Amino acid sequence: MPLTSAEFTAEVLDWTQWWNTEHRLADLAGRTPIEAWHADPTPLSDIPEAALWGLTLEDDGRVRKLSSHGVRWRGRDYVGAWMSGQAGRSVRIRHMPHHDHEIEICDLAGRHLGTAHLADAATPEQLDELRRTRTARARRLPEETKKAEALRRQRFAPATTPTPAQRNGRRHGSRSRSGTHRGIRQRHGRLGPARPHP
């Protein structure tokens, strides 16, 4: 009779416990694997947990874009409250095999941005958080638009007095133009009057 996922996991954990702590191997001079591990003087380097989370996740290598509906993967929408206001951003998806209820979203450099949950299977708490984030974003948007407009008006306002660079540029330009005219007159003086074109 086939085992359920929970039963199978329990069987594997029991076997692993027995193998590592009770099973004695001739190749290890009659020691258990855990005894051989503790007796090994090789130094270990601890890797930060944040650097390990992605090692068990798969990546299909495709670049996707966030939209107002979240991100689309395998014909279904995935959402996360952290996505609010990021529509159009290019991302990549990392996922645990056979666990399609949630996925991890990374930027193109591989940095983790956040978790996304299957939209049609999201919990009420996840949906509430998404609504609250979108509402807060909608409230902030008019204020951000006003600030951007004020900055645009300030940046592109007409200048009433020339800056030193502008004044220097005009003087330099007038000198070069008058120098050019003098050069043309001098050349004409040496060569004589220009003949009319036939």
Side-chain angles (χ1 to χ4, degrees):
M1 178 175 176
L3 296 174
T4 65
S5 177
E7 290 170 338
F8 174 75
T9 302
E11 289 280 340
V12 171
L13 291 176
D14 287 345
W15 179 87
T16 304
Q17 178 74 12
W18 167 81
W19 177 272
N20 287 327
T21 62
E22 299 175 33
H23 183 57
R24 298 189 176 276
L25 299 167
D27 291 346
L28 298 177
R31 294 174 298 178
T32 64
I34 196 72
E35 289 171 342
W37 172 267
H38 288 306
D40 190 339
T42 306
L44 299 176
S45 299
D46 289 331
I47 299 175
E49 186 178 342
L52 293 174
W53 73 269
L55 295 179
T56 58
L57 302 179
E58 292 187 1
D59 180 356
D60 65 2
R62 285 185 53 199
V63 174
R64 293 173 171 81
K65 286 198 181 288
L66 297 181
S67 72
S68 57
H69 300 290
V71 64
R72 193 134 182 101
W73 182 60
R74 293 183 175 173
R76 304 168 87 180
D77 289 324
Y78 288 77
V79 295
W82 62 270
M83 294 179 181
S84 181
Q86 299 197 56
R89 183 173 188 172
S90 296
V91 297
R92 296 179 70 164
I93 290 175
R94 305 290 301 276
H95 63 96
M96 183 74 76
H98 313 299
H99 291 267
D100 60 356
H101 60 286
E102 69 179 23
I103 56 178
E104 304 300 329
I105 311 297
C106 301
D107 65 11
L108 300 186
R111 287 184 293 271
H112 184 238
L113 299 175
T115 302
H117 302 277
L118 189 58
D120 54 10
T123 65
E125 293 79 14
Q126 291 165 350
L127 294 175
D128 284 343
E129 184 185 4
L130 181 61
R131 286 190 202 99
R132 282 195 304 271
T133 306
R134 285 181 174 172
T135 302
R137 169 77 179 159
R139 286 190 186 127
R140 286 196 312 269
L141 198 55
E143 185 63 28
E144 290 173 2
T145 304
K146 263 195 263 183
K147 287 179 182 175
E149 180 61 23
L151 182 62
R152 185 190 68 79
R153 281 197 303 269
Q154 179 184 357
R155 188 173 172 195
F156 297 106
T160 55
T161 56
T163 64
Q166 291 169 328
R167 287 194 296 268
N168 292 341
R170 274 205 293 275
R171 281 204 301 269
H172 175 73
S174 62
R175 276 199 306 271
S176 62
R177 280 194 297 273
S178 62
T180 303
H181 292 159
R182 266 197 310 275
I184 293 172
R185 285 196 297 273
Q186 288 168 356
R187 283 197 299 275
H188 279 295
R190 284 196 301 270
L191 299 175
R195 297 181 199 168
H197 194 274

